[in-house]
Short mmCIF file of all heavy atoms in Angstrom, two decimals:
data_model
loop_
_atom_site.label_atom_id
_atom_site.label_comp_id
_atom_site.label_asym_id
_atom_site.label_seq_id
_atom_site.Cartn_x
_atom_site.Cartn_y
_atom_site.Cartn_z
N ILE A 1 -144.51 197.65 -20.29
CA ILE A 1 -145.88 197.20 -20.54
C ILE A 1 -146.04 195.73 -20.15
O ILE A 1 -147.13 195.30 -19.76
CB ILE A 1 -146.28 197.42 -22.02
CG1 ILE A 1 -147.80 197.27 -22.17
CG2 ILE A 1 -145.56 196.47 -22.94
CD1 ILE A 1 -148.32 197.66 -23.54
N SER A 2 -144.96 194.96 -20.20
CA SER A 2 -145.02 193.56 -19.80
C SER A 2 -145.26 193.44 -18.30
O SER A 2 -146.08 192.62 -17.85
CB SER A 2 -143.73 192.84 -20.18
OG SER A 2 -143.53 192.84 -21.59
N VAL A 3 -144.58 194.26 -17.50
CA VAL A 3 -144.79 194.25 -16.05
C VAL A 3 -146.23 194.69 -15.74
O VAL A 3 -146.91 194.10 -14.90
CB VAL A 3 -143.78 195.19 -15.36
CG1 VAL A 3 -144.13 195.36 -13.89
CG2 VAL A 3 -142.36 194.62 -15.52
N PHE A 4 -146.71 195.73 -16.44
CA PHE A 4 -148.08 196.19 -16.26
C PHE A 4 -149.07 195.07 -16.56
O PHE A 4 -150.03 194.86 -15.81
CB PHE A 4 -148.33 197.40 -17.16
CG PHE A 4 -149.76 197.88 -17.17
CD1 PHE A 4 -150.34 198.41 -16.04
CD2 PHE A 4 -150.51 197.81 -18.34
CE1 PHE A 4 -151.66 198.86 -16.06
CE2 PHE A 4 -151.82 198.24 -18.37
CZ PHE A 4 -152.39 198.78 -17.23
N ALA A 5 -148.84 194.34 -17.64
CA ALA A 5 -149.75 193.25 -18.02
C ALA A 5 -149.78 192.18 -16.95
O ALA A 5 -150.86 191.66 -16.61
CB ALA A 5 -149.32 192.66 -19.36
N LEU A 6 -148.63 191.84 -16.39
CA LEU A 6 -148.58 190.82 -15.34
C LEU A 6 -149.27 191.31 -14.07
O LEU A 6 -149.98 190.55 -13.40
CB LEU A 6 -147.13 190.44 -15.04
CG LEU A 6 -146.36 189.74 -16.17
CD1 LEU A 6 -144.95 189.39 -15.70
CD2 LEU A 6 -147.09 188.48 -16.63
N GLU A 7 -149.07 192.57 -13.74
CA GLU A 7 -149.74 193.13 -12.55
C GLU A 7 -151.26 193.09 -12.70
O GLU A 7 -151.97 192.69 -11.77
CB GLU A 7 -149.27 194.57 -12.33
CG GLU A 7 -147.83 194.70 -11.87
CD GLU A 7 -147.37 196.13 -11.79
OE1 GLU A 7 -147.98 196.99 -12.47
OE2 GLU A 7 -146.41 196.41 -11.05
N VAL A 8 -151.74 193.49 -13.86
CA VAL A 8 -153.18 193.49 -14.10
C VAL A 8 -153.73 192.07 -14.08
O VAL A 8 -154.76 191.79 -13.45
CB VAL A 8 -153.51 194.18 -15.44
CG1 VAL A 8 -154.99 193.99 -15.80
CG2 VAL A 8 -153.17 195.66 -15.38
N ALA A 9 -153.06 191.15 -14.78
CA ALA A 9 -153.56 189.77 -14.87
C ALA A 9 -153.59 189.09 -13.51
O ALA A 9 -154.54 188.38 -13.18
CB ALA A 9 -152.71 188.98 -15.86
N THR A 10 -152.55 189.30 -12.71
CA THR A 10 -152.54 188.66 -11.39
C THR A 10 -153.59 189.26 -10.46
O THR A 10 -154.18 188.56 -9.64
CB THR A 10 -151.15 188.78 -10.74
OG1 THR A 10 -150.73 190.16 -10.73
CG2 THR A 10 -150.12 187.97 -11.51
N GLU A 11 -153.87 190.58 -10.60
CA GLU A 11 -154.88 191.22 -9.76
C GLU A 11 -156.30 190.87 -10.19
O GLU A 11 -157.16 190.56 -9.36
CB GLU A 11 -154.70 192.73 -9.79
CG GLU A 11 -155.76 193.49 -9.01
CD GLU A 11 -155.61 195.00 -9.09
OE1 GLU A 11 -154.49 195.48 -9.41
OE2 GLU A 11 -156.61 195.71 -8.84
N VAL A 12 -156.55 190.91 -11.50
CA VAL A 12 -157.93 190.79 -11.99
C VAL A 12 -158.33 189.34 -12.23
O VAL A 12 -159.44 188.93 -11.91
CB VAL A 12 -158.10 191.61 -13.29
CG1 VAL A 12 -159.51 191.44 -13.85
CG2 VAL A 12 -157.80 193.08 -13.03
N THR A 13 -157.42 188.53 -12.78
CA THR A 13 -157.79 187.16 -13.14
C THR A 13 -157.18 186.12 -12.21
O THR A 13 -157.49 184.93 -12.33
CB THR A 13 -157.37 186.84 -14.58
OG1 THR A 13 -155.93 186.74 -14.65
CG2 THR A 13 -157.84 187.91 -15.54
N GLY A 14 -156.27 186.54 -11.31
CA GLY A 14 -155.61 185.58 -10.44
C GLY A 14 -154.56 184.74 -11.14
O GLY A 14 -154.24 183.62 -10.70
N LEU A 15 -153.99 185.25 -12.22
CA LEU A 15 -152.99 184.51 -12.98
C LEU A 15 -151.80 184.14 -12.10
O LEU A 15 -151.29 184.97 -11.33
CB LEU A 15 -152.51 185.36 -14.17
CG LEU A 15 -151.41 184.74 -15.04
CD1 LEU A 15 -151.95 183.56 -15.83
CD2 LEU A 15 -150.82 185.80 -15.98
N LYS A 16 -151.33 182.90 -12.25
CA LYS A 16 -150.12 182.44 -11.57
C LYS A 16 -148.95 182.59 -12.55
O LYS A 16 -149.01 182.09 -13.66
CB LYS A 16 -150.27 180.98 -11.14
CG LYS A 16 -149.02 180.39 -10.50
CD LYS A 16 -149.21 178.91 -10.19
CE LYS A 16 -147.94 178.30 -9.59
NZ LYS A 16 -148.11 176.85 -9.34
N VAL A 17 -147.90 183.28 -12.11
CA VAL A 17 -146.74 183.53 -12.97
C VAL A 17 -145.52 182.85 -12.37
O VAL A 17 -145.15 183.12 -11.22
CB VAL A 17 -146.47 185.04 -13.13
CG1 VAL A 17 -145.28 185.27 -14.06
CG2 VAL A 17 -147.71 185.75 -13.66
N GLU A 18 -144.89 181.97 -13.16
CA GLU A 18 -143.66 181.30 -12.75
C GLU A 18 -142.53 181.79 -13.63
O GLU A 18 -142.70 181.93 -14.85
CB GLU A 18 -143.78 179.78 -12.93
CG GLU A 18 -144.93 179.14 -12.18
CD GLU A 18 -145.10 177.68 -12.54
OE1 GLU A 18 -144.62 177.27 -13.62
OE2 GLU A 18 -145.71 176.95 -11.74
N ARG A 19 -141.38 182.06 -13.01
CA ARG A 19 -140.21 182.47 -13.79
C ARG A 19 -139.03 181.61 -13.39
O ARG A 19 -138.68 181.51 -12.22
CB ARG A 19 -139.89 183.94 -13.56
CG ARG A 19 -138.62 184.37 -14.33
CD ARG A 19 -138.35 185.83 -14.21
NE ARG A 19 -137.91 186.23 -12.89
CZ ARG A 19 -137.15 187.30 -12.65
NH1 ARG A 19 -136.76 188.08 -13.64
NH2 ARG A 19 -136.80 187.62 -11.42
N TYR A 20 -138.39 181.03 -14.41
CA TYR A 20 -137.21 180.20 -14.18
C TYR A 20 -135.95 181.03 -14.41
O TYR A 20 -135.87 181.82 -15.35
CB TYR A 20 -137.24 178.97 -15.09
CG TYR A 20 -138.33 178.00 -14.70
CD1 TYR A 20 -139.65 178.22 -15.06
CD2 TYR A 20 -138.03 176.89 -13.92
CE1 TYR A 20 -140.66 177.35 -14.67
CE2 TYR A 20 -139.03 176.00 -13.53
CZ TYR A 20 -140.34 176.24 -13.90
OH TYR A 20 -141.33 175.37 -13.50
N ASN A 21 -134.96 180.78 -13.52
CA ASN A 21 -133.73 181.58 -13.53
C ASN A 21 -134.10 183.06 -13.44
O ASN A 21 -135.04 183.43 -12.75
CB ASN A 21 -132.87 181.23 -14.74
CG ASN A 21 -132.27 179.84 -14.60
OD1 ASN A 21 -131.76 179.47 -13.55
ND2 ASN A 21 -132.36 179.04 -15.66
N LYS A 22 -133.42 183.93 -14.16
CA LYS A 22 -133.71 185.36 -14.10
C LYS A 22 -134.09 185.90 -15.47
O LYS A 22 -133.85 187.07 -15.78
CB LYS A 22 -132.49 186.12 -13.56
CG LYS A 22 -132.15 185.80 -12.12
CD LYS A 22 -133.22 186.28 -11.16
CE LYS A 22 -132.83 186.01 -9.72
NZ LYS A 22 -133.90 186.43 -8.78
N HIS A 23 -134.68 185.05 -16.28
CA HIS A 23 -135.04 185.47 -17.63
C HIS A 23 -136.08 186.59 -17.62
O HIS A 23 -136.90 186.69 -16.71
CB HIS A 23 -135.58 184.29 -18.43
CG HIS A 23 -134.58 183.21 -18.67
ND1 HIS A 23 -133.54 183.34 -19.56
CD2 HIS A 23 -134.45 181.97 -18.13
CE1 HIS A 23 -132.83 182.23 -19.57
NE2 HIS A 23 -133.35 181.38 -18.71
N TYR A 24 -136.02 187.43 -18.66
CA TYR A 24 -136.98 188.50 -18.95
C TYR A 24 -136.87 189.72 -18.04
O TYR A 24 -136.95 190.85 -18.52
CB TYR A 24 -138.42 187.97 -18.93
CG TYR A 24 -138.64 186.87 -19.96
CD1 TYR A 24 -138.85 185.56 -19.57
CD2 TYR A 24 -138.58 187.16 -21.32
CE1 TYR A 24 -139.03 184.55 -20.51
CE2 TYR A 24 -138.76 186.16 -22.26
CZ TYR A 24 -138.97 184.86 -21.85
OH TYR A 24 -139.13 183.87 -22.78
N PHE A 25 -136.72 189.54 -16.74
CA PHE A 25 -136.59 190.69 -15.83
C PHE A 25 -135.33 190.49 -14.98
O PHE A 25 -135.42 190.23 -13.78
CB PHE A 25 -137.81 190.80 -14.91
CG PHE A 25 -139.12 190.74 -15.63
CD1 PHE A 25 -139.90 189.59 -15.60
CD2 PHE A 25 -139.58 191.82 -16.35
CE1 PHE A 25 -141.10 189.53 -16.25
CE2 PHE A 25 -140.80 191.77 -17.01
CZ PHE A 25 -141.57 190.62 -16.97
N PRO A 26 -134.15 190.58 -15.57
CA PRO A 26 -132.93 190.20 -14.85
C PRO A 26 -132.64 191.04 -13.62
O PRO A 26 -132.01 190.56 -12.68
CB PRO A 26 -131.83 190.39 -15.92
CG PRO A 26 -132.42 191.34 -16.92
CD PRO A 26 -133.88 191.04 -16.94
N ARG A 27 -133.10 192.29 -13.58
CA ARG A 27 -132.75 193.18 -12.47
C ARG A 27 -133.89 193.33 -11.47
O ARG A 27 -133.76 194.05 -10.49
CB ARG A 27 -132.34 194.56 -13.00
CG ARG A 27 -131.08 194.54 -13.85
CD ARG A 27 -130.74 195.93 -14.35
NE ARG A 27 -131.81 196.47 -15.19
CZ ARG A 27 -131.94 196.19 -16.47
NH1 ARG A 27 -131.08 195.37 -17.05
NH2 ARG A 27 -132.94 196.69 -17.16
N ASP A 28 -135.01 192.66 -11.73
CA ASP A 28 -136.18 192.93 -10.90
C ASP A 28 -136.78 191.64 -10.34
O ASP A 28 -136.72 190.59 -10.97
CB ASP A 28 -137.27 193.66 -11.71
CG ASP A 28 -136.78 194.99 -12.24
OD1 ASP A 28 -136.34 195.81 -11.42
OD2 ASP A 28 -136.83 195.21 -13.46
N GLU A 29 -137.36 191.77 -9.17
CA GLU A 29 -138.15 190.71 -8.58
C GLU A 29 -139.50 191.29 -8.18
O GLU A 29 -139.58 192.43 -7.72
CB GLU A 29 -137.44 190.09 -7.38
CG GLU A 29 -136.15 189.37 -7.74
CD GLU A 29 -135.53 188.66 -6.56
OE1 GLU A 29 -136.13 188.74 -5.47
OE2 GLU A 29 -134.48 188.03 -6.73
N PHE A 30 -140.56 190.51 -8.37
CA PHE A 30 -141.90 191.01 -8.13
C PHE A 30 -142.64 190.06 -7.20
O PHE A 30 -142.47 188.85 -7.26
CB PHE A 30 -142.67 191.13 -9.46
CG PHE A 30 -141.95 191.96 -10.49
CD1 PHE A 30 -141.18 191.37 -11.49
CD2 PHE A 30 -142.03 193.34 -10.45
CE1 PHE A 30 -140.52 192.12 -12.43
CE2 PHE A 30 -141.37 194.11 -11.39
CZ PHE A 30 -140.62 193.51 -12.38
N ASP A 31 -143.51 190.65 -6.38
CA ASP A 31 -144.29 189.84 -5.44
C ASP A 31 -145.22 188.88 -6.16
O ASP A 31 -145.54 187.81 -5.63
CB ASP A 31 -145.12 190.76 -4.52
CG ASP A 31 -144.24 191.59 -3.60
OD1 ASP A 31 -143.09 191.17 -3.37
OD2 ASP A 31 -144.70 192.65 -3.13
N PHE A 32 -145.68 189.25 -7.33
CA PHE A 32 -146.64 188.42 -8.03
C PHE A 32 -145.99 187.32 -8.88
O PHE A 32 -146.69 186.57 -9.57
CB PHE A 32 -147.55 189.27 -8.92
CG PHE A 32 -146.80 190.16 -9.90
CD1 PHE A 32 -146.29 189.65 -11.07
CD2 PHE A 32 -146.60 191.50 -9.61
CE1 PHE A 32 -145.62 190.46 -11.97
CE2 PHE A 32 -145.92 192.32 -10.49
CZ PHE A 32 -145.42 191.79 -11.68
N VAL A 33 -144.67 187.23 -8.85
CA VAL A 33 -143.97 186.21 -9.63
C VAL A 33 -143.40 185.16 -8.69
O VAL A 33 -142.72 185.48 -7.70
CB VAL A 33 -142.83 186.84 -10.47
CG1 VAL A 33 -142.01 185.74 -11.16
CG2 VAL A 33 -143.41 187.80 -11.51
N GLU A 34 -143.66 183.90 -9.00
CA GLU A 34 -143.07 182.79 -8.25
C GLU A 34 -141.74 182.44 -8.89
O GLU A 34 -141.68 181.96 -10.02
CB GLU A 34 -144.00 181.57 -8.27
CG GLU A 34 -143.49 180.40 -7.47
CD GLU A 34 -144.42 179.20 -7.51
OE1 GLU A 34 -145.60 179.38 -7.90
OE2 GLU A 34 -143.98 178.09 -7.16
N GLU A 35 -140.65 182.73 -8.16
CA GLU A 35 -139.32 182.51 -8.70
C GLU A 35 -138.94 181.04 -8.67
O GLU A 35 -139.10 180.37 -7.65
CB GLU A 35 -138.30 183.34 -7.94
CG GLU A 35 -138.55 184.85 -7.98
CD GLU A 35 -138.31 185.46 -9.35
OE1 GLU A 35 -137.81 184.73 -10.25
OE2 GLU A 35 -138.63 186.65 -9.54
N LYS A 36 -138.40 180.56 -9.79
CA LYS A 36 -137.94 179.18 -9.91
C LYS A 36 -136.46 179.19 -10.24
O LYS A 36 -135.92 180.18 -10.73
CB LYS A 36 -138.71 178.46 -11.02
CG LYS A 36 -140.22 178.41 -10.81
CD LYS A 36 -140.59 177.33 -9.83
CE LYS A 36 -142.09 177.13 -9.79
NZ LYS A 36 -142.49 176.01 -8.91
N GLY A 37 -135.81 178.08 -10.02
CA GLY A 37 -134.41 177.96 -10.38
C GLY A 37 -134.24 177.46 -11.80
O GLY A 37 -135.08 177.70 -12.66
N ASN A 38 -133.16 176.73 -12.03
CA ASN A 38 -132.92 176.16 -13.34
C ASN A 38 -133.81 174.92 -13.51
O ASN A 38 -133.79 174.02 -12.66
CB ASN A 38 -131.44 175.75 -13.47
CG ASN A 38 -131.04 175.47 -14.90
OD1 ASN A 38 -131.60 176.05 -15.83
ND2 ASN A 38 -130.09 174.58 -15.09
N PRO A 39 -134.64 174.83 -14.54
CA PRO A 39 -135.54 173.68 -14.68
C PRO A 39 -134.74 172.38 -14.87
O PRO A 39 -133.66 172.38 -15.44
CB PRO A 39 -136.36 174.01 -15.92
CG PRO A 39 -135.55 175.01 -16.68
CD PRO A 39 -134.80 175.79 -15.65
N GLU A 40 -135.29 171.28 -14.35
CA GLU A 40 -134.65 169.98 -14.49
C GLU A 40 -135.26 169.21 -15.66
O GLU A 40 -136.48 169.24 -15.86
CB GLU A 40 -134.82 169.17 -13.20
CG GLU A 40 -134.11 169.78 -12.00
CD GLU A 40 -134.23 168.90 -10.77
OE1 GLU A 40 -134.82 167.79 -10.89
OE2 GLU A 40 -133.75 169.31 -9.69
N LEU A 41 -134.40 168.55 -16.40
CA LEU A 41 -134.88 167.75 -17.53
C LEU A 41 -135.79 166.63 -17.03
O LEU A 41 -135.48 165.97 -16.03
CB LEU A 41 -133.70 167.14 -18.29
CG LEU A 41 -133.00 168.03 -19.32
CD1 LEU A 41 -131.67 167.41 -19.72
CD2 LEU A 41 -133.88 168.25 -20.54
N PRO A 42 -136.91 166.40 -17.70
CA PRO A 42 -137.76 165.27 -17.31
C PRO A 42 -137.08 163.95 -17.67
O PRO A 42 -136.15 163.91 -18.48
CB PRO A 42 -139.02 165.49 -18.16
CG PRO A 42 -138.55 166.26 -19.35
CD PRO A 42 -137.45 167.14 -18.86
N GLU A 43 -137.53 162.90 -17.05
CA GLU A 43 -137.00 161.58 -17.38
C GLU A 43 -137.54 161.16 -18.74
O GLU A 43 -138.74 161.12 -18.96
CB GLU A 43 -137.40 160.57 -16.31
CG GLU A 43 -136.72 160.81 -14.96
CD GLU A 43 -137.02 159.69 -13.97
OE1 GLU A 43 -137.63 158.69 -14.39
OE2 GLU A 43 -136.64 159.84 -12.80
N ILE A 44 -136.63 160.87 -19.63
CA ILE A 44 -136.99 160.51 -21.00
C ILE A 44 -136.30 159.20 -21.36
O ILE A 44 -135.11 159.02 -21.09
CB ILE A 44 -136.58 161.61 -22.00
CG1 ILE A 44 -137.34 162.91 -21.69
CG2 ILE A 44 -136.84 161.18 -23.44
CD1 ILE A 44 -136.93 164.08 -22.55
N THR A 45 -137.02 158.29 -21.98
CA THR A 45 -136.44 157.04 -22.47
C THR A 45 -136.09 157.24 -23.94
O THR A 45 -136.97 157.39 -24.80
CB THR A 45 -137.44 155.88 -22.31
OG1 THR A 45 -137.80 155.76 -20.94
CG2 THR A 45 -136.81 154.58 -22.79
N TYR A 46 -134.79 157.25 -24.22
CA TYR A 46 -134.33 157.52 -25.57
C TYR A 46 -134.25 156.22 -26.38
O TYR A 46 -134.05 155.13 -25.84
CB TYR A 46 -132.95 158.19 -25.54
CG TYR A 46 -132.94 159.53 -24.83
CD1 TYR A 46 -132.42 159.66 -23.54
CD2 TYR A 46 -133.47 160.65 -25.44
CE1 TYR A 46 -132.43 160.87 -22.88
CE2 TYR A 46 -133.47 161.87 -24.79
CZ TYR A 46 -132.95 161.98 -23.51
OH TYR A 46 -132.96 163.19 -22.87
#
């Protein structure tokens, strides 16, 4: 149902979907998903 929801949202509303690493759908890749790598930590002043 999650894949169905993403398919509908990208078709009807033009939703942009980004996925980092292979979370949530480890065995699948989809045309409507923009694949990202490992996110980089932002610059933070501690």
Side-chain angles (χ1 to χ4, degrees):
I1 194 172
S2 298
V3 171
F4 174 66
L6 294 181
E7 289 175 338
V8 171
T10 53
E11 177 182 339
V12 178
T13 71
L15 178 69
K16 176 184 178 182
V17 182
E18 303 173 339
R19 178 175 71 154
Y20 290 79
N21 290 315
K22 294 293 183 182
H23 295 287
Y24 300 111
F25 310 104
R27 295 180 299 277
D28 299 305
E29 294 186 0
F30 305 98
D31 293 338
F32 55 80
V33 174
E34 182 180 344
E35 300 291 353
K36 300 281 189 176
N38 194 30
E40 295 184 3
L41 277 166
E43 292 186 7
I44 297 176
T45 302
Y46 299 104

